[in-house]
Amino acid sequence: MESLFDRHSGLLQDALKANETRGFWSPFPEVPSGKIYGETARADAGADFNALLGRPFVLPGHPESRRVGAEVSPWGPELGIGYPAADSAALLAASASAAAEWAASAPETRVGICLEILTRLNRASFLLGNAVMHTTGQAFPMAFQAGGPHAQDRGLEAVAVAYAEMTRAPREALWEKPQGKAAPIVLEKHWRVVPRGIALVIGCNTFPTWNSYPGLFASLATGNTVIVKPHPAAVLPLALTVRAAREVLAEAGFDPNVLLLAADEAGAEVTAGLVRAPEVAIIDFTGSNAFGDWIRANAGEALVFTEEAGVNSIVVAATGDFAGMCANIAFSLSLYSGQMCTAPQDIFVPVDGIETDEGRKSLDEVAAGIAAAVDALLADPARAVAVCGAIANPATLDRVAAARHLGRIVRDSAPLPEGRSATPLILAVDAAETSAHEEERFGPISFIVAVRDAEAGIAVAAELARRKGAITAALYDTDEGRIARAADEFARAGANLSVNLTGGIYVNQSAAFSDYHVTGANPAGNASLTDAAFIAGRFRLAMWRRPRAA
Amino acid sequence: MESLFDRHSGLLQDALKANETRGFWSPFPEVPSGKIYGETARADAGADFNALLGRPFVLPGHPESRRVGAEVSPWGPELGIGYPAADSAALLAASASAAAEWAASAPETRVGICLEILTRLNRASFLLGNAVMHTTGQAFPMAFQAGGPHAQDRGLEAVAVAYAEMTRAPREALWEKPQGKAAPIVLEKHWRVVPRGIALVIGCNTFPTWNSYPGLFASLATGNTVIVKPHPAAVLPLALTVRAAREVLAEAGFDPNVLLLAADEAGAEVTAGLVRAPEVAIIDFTGSNAFGDWIRANAGEALVFTEEAGVNSIVVAATGDFAGMCANIAFSLSLYSGQMCTAPQDIFVPVDGIETDEGRKSLDEVAAGIAAAVDALLADPARAVAVCGAIANPATLDRVAAARHLGRIVRDSAPLPEGRSATPLILAVDAAETSAHEEERFGPISFIVAVRDAEAGIAVAAELARRKGAITAALYDTDEGRIARAADEFARAGANLSVNLTGGIYVNQSAAFSDYHVTGANPAGNASLTDAAFIAGRFRLAMWRRPRAA
């Protein structure tokens, strides 16, 4: 019988090559098209999604002492889904009991299973799109892309790196040491991959699959059992993921408890108990710096990988395409209402204005140009809803309201006709007068920050990235020397820099197999998706050796 | 002019290949022979060593506020060498000030410099052998081997892995995303290696070079500046290392403070200040579990790699070569008087004895056989001195004396004619009656531990490794099924297992480019020399990207 590893070996080889060359590649089409996913895929997924609502979520064989679930779509309806829940001790016991067989399986077996899971998740992308849309508030096209194919890409990238790392050293070697004229000493040596233990993946509200898949699949492929702890407001996308994975695990003859769902409810989270458990040997976390600090302080000996918060900046120094720049920035500010960890917050502009293809523009003209581009982008309400989506967490609306007094309002935020929504609030401040822009203000809040000149803007933005963390940075400039210096400064600050983006590519975007997401070199996180450091420590190599039999 | 990278590219390529194939390979001859190292090398090194004694140690340009040094050779004489010392703030400032240029240099530049340093250290192996001998108490042949070529091998191994990891991803790529019938989006992307910051290497008394070189060269090659904090009783080997490296750095045009020596004195260590410093981003530590715990609790955000203590075991289940087994175990117990982190402490033997090529042997006969083999090995005093060396730390003698009441004495410890010395103390205990053997008792102390049967011995030894840590394990057995089960159990316990060693290869030995030293999978340490996990996190990748110019 064809093994799962053999079945997907072409996919794996392509992913390995893509990871090495880092050009564009994606095996999972990002277009929610019936031509690709099947003409009835959209309708079927809608029906499947509706069938999940208001019912218990079925996870055969999963530990369960009660049902939990209080998801409410940012687009309106309560989901009413009850997930199986168990206390942390029961989850840890079930995970431990599934561990030995999983750890003893061959890396190829585990990699084959992971690839099969990802392939099935890809086929379920429309359903996952619905689930992500109604838990995160992303509009459907983005929920499909980011929650489906792009998340699957990130998962596949992690599996490919895991395979590369597990197979970097040979499994056997003959060690033959010369002894002058005497016979050599000959040892046969055998190595095996030993996983660390139980891995905990803590998901976030805004990108439940995209941010969880790398850690989940990295730990699974390297032989650890995994407990996925979703955000209480975004359980469904990970519950569907766990269900698909458990089906593949069971079909392959493994205890499905190799992968568990730690569903809980706001105010009664199981997270702390899991983080503190000595059996938990790896933690992948996406969320706030404050909870990241708590995890580091309480995680004991576990390896901890995080993606936390930061303040992303754009420096506007000069441009040869003022309209293109304003439109590009407008889209970056508007997309999913600034709820991306890659979205810019601060736009540093020289107080004396900039040179452009439309002549010199004052600081106010730059601010007005960006604001007008946002207005133009969002002029059509249907398009505005499709770009901005809805606000995942009601607290973000409060944050937008509270932010209005932090500077001069260049563009005010407003609700859209659908969902819990807020268009971009743009404030103007002077870096010499305030540090309001230096705090992360999650959501559709941005600042046009006056700085002395372009060099000051680069220096201030890089320093802010170093101090507060930043995942992305952007620069608009026409001076090659300054671009090179900015590349140096942002590299030292650990922020990936995009220069002169116009048209259909945005600073927010991070592509699997090419962009490493998060450098790990500033407080925005220590994980980098997906470099060797994110993978190599998830397993160890153990050897046995003996003299070669005569 | 030929670059250092070009000069040593053959060496690097060979090391890269050796790391992948993991057969026997060493570029640095382990034999202290005049034919290899020069006919006058031994005499020259003796003179050079004597010229260092009783004098200030010269490190041009090194931070210095006072002189420290109180090394006393375990073979007798005080060294009387005064090393430049500075407080931790001055060391950190000097390191930080050397950092930017080092970080900005190309990986090839740094790797070339590291290879040149290692090559020069190799030429100084006789001098390093003297320095290691008179700080650790190792006899000269071992001090030469372990402190010279074998340490250089481990350093080279780390440099090669660092080079492989830094060059795994391309430095540039073109990302070309199709847009249907429209023109593709094309981005050029540029990556660079960004080091973490200042790296601290904390050396130990017994293997000052062997245990320090991997972390030292790994951090240096990946662009971090390094502060080496030697054990106050074993400064000279690392001072010579730092001096050689600073000479190469200065010749290559770098601030020699890229590598600093943090010499201090017992009772006035600078270690705590360096560990706590937020600028210190990487810590490599060899030493006790207690201080390892302290480092983990106080190191802040630094990456910490450790080699700590453990209890290594031998399980004697059966043998086809009773004499060979006893001789092999005897050598492992005697070599450097058990002061190796790989030396066995507990020898588990079935209470009813074992089958051997000499017929059935009772537990007492096995114990007596091992004791007699030690006596035979050490019968000639000169050979005994050459095998056992001297005791590095006087506290070890006290520990040997105190251990004598922990069981029935099978073989008593005794001093040798030279140095502060103690031959192996072998005690017999019953696992059912005591747990005295479960504590690490560093030095020439071992236990013959009676267990129910071979399976129990394997289970108990593996459990002990899991709980207390173990770097090595050994098994003597003739049952292939039981050997396979033991391989499973010790792998799960994270201890590398040697089976049926007889002749000139010992469980204590760990060869660079082949054996991964420490698995990282039990409390004996989280470092593994040298896997990707030991290297990959020492640097990060930062990118800048922009649309390709038309």
Side-chain angles (χ1 to χ4, degrees):
Chain A
M1 203 189 74
E2 185 194 44
S3 73
L4 292 175
F5 184 78
D6 292 339
R7 184 185 303 171
H8 298 294
S9 67
L11 181 65
L12 177 63
Q13 291 306 320
D14 289 348
L16 288 165
K17 182 157 168 271
N19 273 338
E20 280 177 12
T21 52
R22 305 204 82 79
F24 172 81
W25 183 70
S26 169
F28 300 127
E30 68 179 6
V31 185
S33 155
K35 291 204 181 74
I36 298 163
Y37 286 93
E39 291 302 341
T40 63
R42 183 185 292 264
D44 292 349
D48 289 348
F49 177 72
N50 286 329
L52 291 166
L53 303 180
R55 291 211 170 74
F57 189 92
V58 180
L59 277 179
H62 195 283
E64 174 178 350
S65 60
R66 64 193 188 285
R67 289 267 158 179
V68 300
E71 291 160 299
V72 180
S73 171
W75 299 99
E78 291 186 14
L79 303 196
I81 306 174
Y83 301 95
D87 61 19
S88 55
L91 293 167
L92 291 164
S95 196
S97 138
E101 208 180 357
W102 186 241
S105 65
E108 286 73 14
T109 303
R110 298 191 301 260
V111 165
I113 286 172
C114 287
L115 296 173
E116 174 68 15
I117 295 169
L118 285 163
T119 305
R120 292 199 196 176
L121 289 173
N122 180 246
R123 288 203 293 270
S125 290
F126 271 95
L127 178 57
L128 285 161
N130 279 284
V132 169
M133 174 180 177
H134 287 291
T135 49
T136 68
Q138 291 170 26
F140 182 78
M142 181 177 181
F144 176 92
Q145 266 193 12
H150 289 181
Q152 294 144 18
D153 280 348
R154 282 286 177 198
L156 175 58
E157 179 187 55
V159 172
V161 179
Y163 179 75
E165 292 302 320
M166 288 191 289
T167 53
R168 203 167 291 300
R171 268 165 240 192
E172 295 181 7
L174 216 56
W175 183 84
E176 187 161 341
K177 182 174 182 178
Q179 300 292 300
K181 289 170 187 160
I185 297 171
V186 185
L187 294 180
E188 55 170 70
K189 301 186 178 186
H190 310 260
W191 289 271
R192 73 183 75 186
V193 165
V194 181
R196 289 188 90 96
I198 296 175
L200 173 64
V201 177
I202 305 174
C204 65
N205 191 356
T206 46
F207 290 90
T209 57
W210 198 98
N211 277 109
S212 298
Y213 281 9
L216 190 166
F217 283 99
S219 286
L220 216 51
T222 51
N224 305 279
T225 55
V226 177
I227 301 175
V228 177
K229 159 62 187 91
H231 191 284
V235 181
L236 184 58
L238 287 170
L240 290 168
T241 302
V242 168
R243 188 174 72 183
R246 289 169 61 91
E247 284 169 6
V248 176
L249 286 162
E251 288 168 25
F254 289 94
D255 182 343
N257 289 339
V258 163
L259 183 61
L260 293 168
L261 184 74
D264 60 9
E265 290 174 300
E269 284 89 352
V270 296
T271 326
L274 293 170
V275 168
R276 285 202 180 100
E279 307 95 302
V280 169
I282 306 172
I283 299 174
D284 287 276
F285 165 69
T286 307
S288 70
N289 303 93
F291 199 64
D293 286 340
W294 186 89
I295 289 173
R296 278 183 286 274
N298 290 275
E301 303 285 297
L303 270 189
V304 178
F305 296 98
T306 68
E307 186 192 317
E308 303 169 62
V311 181
N312 303 319
S313 298
I314 298 176
V315 179
V316 175
T319 179
D321 180 1
F322 184 70
M325 175 186 85
C326 290
N328 194 279
I329 294 175
F331 193 87
S332 283
L333 298 179
S334 302
L335 184 62
Y336 190 27
S337 294
Q339 298 170 99
M340 301 178 74
C341 55
T342 52
Q345 173 178 304
D346 292 348
I347 303 167
F348 293 95
V349 183
V351 69
D352 294 330
I354 60 165
E355 292 300 327
T356 83
D357 58 319
E358 302 178 9
R360 187 151 193 97
K361 297 279 186 184
S362 71
L363 188 155
D364 283 349
E365 287 169 329
V366 172
I370 294 169
V374 172
D375 289 340
L377 176 67
L378 307 182
D380 172 52
R383 188 180 178 198
V385 169
V387 171
C388 293
I391 298 292
N393 191 324
T396 300
L397 288 188
D398 302 339
R399 196 178 304 113
V400 173
R404 295 180 74 255
H405 76 279
L406 294 175
R408 180 173 64 80
I409 294 177
V410 175
R411 184 189 185 281
D412 207 351
S413 177
L416 290 167
E418 288 181 51
R420 177 171 56 222
S421 55
T423 65
L425 170 69
I426 306 179
L427 301 158
V429 297
D430 190 312
E433 291 168 9
T434 180
S435 58
H437 57 285
E438 295 186 358
E439 296 305 314
E440 192 219 12
R441 300 184 190 275
F442 186 78
I445 302 164
S446 60
F447 297 86
I448 309 283
V449 187
V451 283
R452 195 181 66 243
D453 54 22
E455 298 280 2
I458 292 165
V460 165
E463 188 279 329
L464 189 56
R466 200 178 293 113
R467 178 159 47 96
K468 294 281 186 169
I471 295 175
T472 63
L475 170 69
Y476 289 89
D477 205 348
T478 53
D479 178 329
E480 286 296 320
R482 198 161 50 199
I483 290 172
R485 290 194 295 278
D488 289 347
E489 288 217 39
F490 284 106
R492 280 197 289 269
N496 288 322
L497 175 68
S498 296
V499 177
N500 293 337
L501 295 189
T502 56
I505 183 79
Y506 306 98
V507 66
N508 321 38
Q509 292 174 321
S510 172
F513 307 107
S514 182
D515 297 309
Y516 292 99
H517 178 69
V518 190
T519 66
N522 68 42
N526 74 340
S528 181
L529 308 178
T530 296
D531 65 3
F534 185 70
I535 301 289
R538 291 176 197 259
F539 67 90
R540 316 304 329 214
L541 292 170
M543 175 191 62
W544 73 277
R545 62 183 185 181
R546 64 170 162 189
R548 186 177 55 176
Chain B
M1 202 188 79
E2 185 194 45
S3 73
L4 293 174
F5 184 78
D6 291 341
R7 184 185 303 171
H8 298 295
S9 66
L11 181 64
L12 177 63
Q13 291 307 319
D14 288 348
L16 288 165
K17 182 156 168 274
N19 272 339
E20 280 177 12
T21 53
R22 305 204 83 80
F24 172 82
W25 182 69
S26 169
F28 299 126
E30 68 179 7
V31 185
S33 155
K35 292 204 181 72
I36 297 164
Y37 286 93
E39 292 302 343
T40 64
R42 182 184 293 264
D44 293 348
D48 289 348
F49 177 72
N50 286 328
L52 290 167
L53 302 180
R55 289 212 171 75
F57 189 90
V58 180
L59 276 180
H62 195 281
E64 174 178 351
S65 60
R66 63 193 189 285
R67 290 264 155 182
V68 301
E71 291 161 299
V72 180
S73 172
W75 300 99
E78 291 187 15
L79 304 196
I81 306 175
Y83 301 94
D87 61 20
S88 54
L91 293 167
L92 292 164
S95 195
S97 139
E101 208 180 358
W102 187 242
S105 65
E108 286 73 14
T109 302
R110 298 191 300 260
V111 166
I113 287 172
C114 288
L115 296 172
E116 175 68 16
I117 296 168
L118 285 163
T119 305
R120 292 200 196 174
L121 289 172
N122 180 245
R123 289 203 293 269
S125 291
F126 271 94
L127 179 57
L128 285 162
N130 279 285
V132 169
M133 175 180 176
H134 287 291
T135 48
T136 68
Q138 291 170 26
F140 182 79
M142 181 177 181
F144 176 92
Q145 266 193 11
H150 288 181
Q152 295 145 18
D153 280 348
R154 282 287 178 198
L156 176 57
E157 179 186 56
V159 171
V161 179
Y163 179 74
E165 291 302 321
M166 288 192 289
T167 54
R168 202 167 292 301
R171 268 164 241 191
E172 295 182 5
L174 216 56
W175 184 83
E176 189 162 342
K177 183 175 181 179
Q179 300 291 299
K181 287 170 188 159
I185 297 172
V186 185
L187 294 179
E188 53 170 71
K189 301 185 178 186
H190 309 260
W191 289 270
R192 75 183 72 187
V193 165
V194 180
R196 288 189 90 95
I198 297 176
L200 173 65
V201 177
I202 304 173
C204 66
N205 191 356
T206 46
F207 290 90
T209 56
W210 199 97
N211 276 109
S212 299
Y213 282 8
L216 191 166
F217 283 99
S219 285
L220 216 51
T222 51
N224 305 278
T225 55
V226 177
I227 301 176
V228 177
K229 160 58 189 98
H231 190 283
V235 182
L236 184 58
L238 287 170
L240 291 167
T241 301
V242 167
R243 189 173 72 181
R246 288 170 61 91
E247 284 168 6
V248 177
L249 285 163
E251 289 168 25
F254 288 94
D255 182 343
N257 289 339
V258 163
L259 183 61
L260 293 169
L261 184 73
D264 60 8
E265 290 175 300
E269 285 89 351
V270 295
T271 326
L274 293 171
V275 168
R276 286 202 180 101
E279 307 95 302
V280 169
I282 306 171
I283 298 173
D284 286 277
F285 165 70
T286 308
S288 70
N289 303 92
F291 199 64
D293 286 340
W294 186 89
I295 289 174
R296 278 182 286 275
N298 289 276
E301 303 285 298
L303 270 188
V304 178
F305 296 99
T306 68
E307 186 191 318
E308 302 167 64
V311 181
N312 303 320
S313 298
I314 299 176
V315 179
V316 176
T319 178
D321 179 2
F322 183 72
M325 175 186 84
C326 291
N328 193 278
I329 294 175
F331 193 87
S332 283
L333 298 179
S334 302
L335 183 63
Y336 190 27
S337 293
Q339 298 170 99
M340 302 178 73
C341 56
T342 51
Q345 172 179 305
D346 292 348
I347 303 166
F348 293 95
V349 183
V351 69
D352 295 331
I354 61 165
E355 293 300 327
T356 83
D357 58 320
E358 301 178 10
R360 187 149 193 99
K361 296 278 186 184
S362 71
L363 187 154
D364 284 348
E365 287 168 329
V366 172
I370 294 169
V374 172
D375 289 340
L377 175 68
L378 307 182
D380 172 54
R383 187 179 180 201
V385 170
V387 172
C388 293
I391 298 291
N393 190 324
T396 300
L397 288 187
D398 302 338
R399 195 177 304 112
V400 173
R404 294 179 75 252
H405 75 277
L406 294 174
R408 180 173 63 80
I409 294 177
V410 176
R411 183 189 184 280
D412 207 350
S413 178
L416 290 167
E418 289 180 52
R420 176 171 57 222
S421 56
T423 64
L425 169 70
I426 306 179
L427 301 159
V429 297
D430 190 312
E433 290 169 11
T434 180
S435 57
H437 57 286
E438 296 187 359
E439 297 304 316
E440 192 219 13
R441 301 184 190 274
F442 186 78
I445 303 164
S446 60
F447 296 86
I448 309 282
V449 187
V451 283
R452 196 183 63 244
D453 54 23
E455 299 280 2
I458 292 165
V460 165
E463 188 279 330
L464 189 56
R466 199 177 294 113
R467 176 159 48 96
K468 295 280 186 171
I471 295 175
T472 63
L475 170 69
Y476 290 89
D477 205 348
T478 52
D479 178 330
E480 286 296 319
R482 198 161 49 200
I483 290 172
R485 289 194 296 280
D488 289 346
E489 288 217 39
F490 283 106
R492 280 197 290 268
N496 288 322
L497 175 68
S498 295
V499 177
N500 293 336
L501 295 189
T502 57
I505 183 79
Y506 306 97
V507 66
N508 320 38
Q509 292 174 321
S510 172
F513 307 107
S514 182
D515 296 309
Y516 292 99
H517 177 68
V518 188
T519 65
N522 68 42
N526 74 339
S528 181
L529 307 180
T530 297
D531 65 3
F534 185 70
I535 300 288
R538 292 177 195 258
F539 68 91
R540 315 304 330 215
L541 292 170
M543 173 191 64
W544 74 278
R545 63 182 185 181
R546 65 171 161 188
R548 184 177 56 174

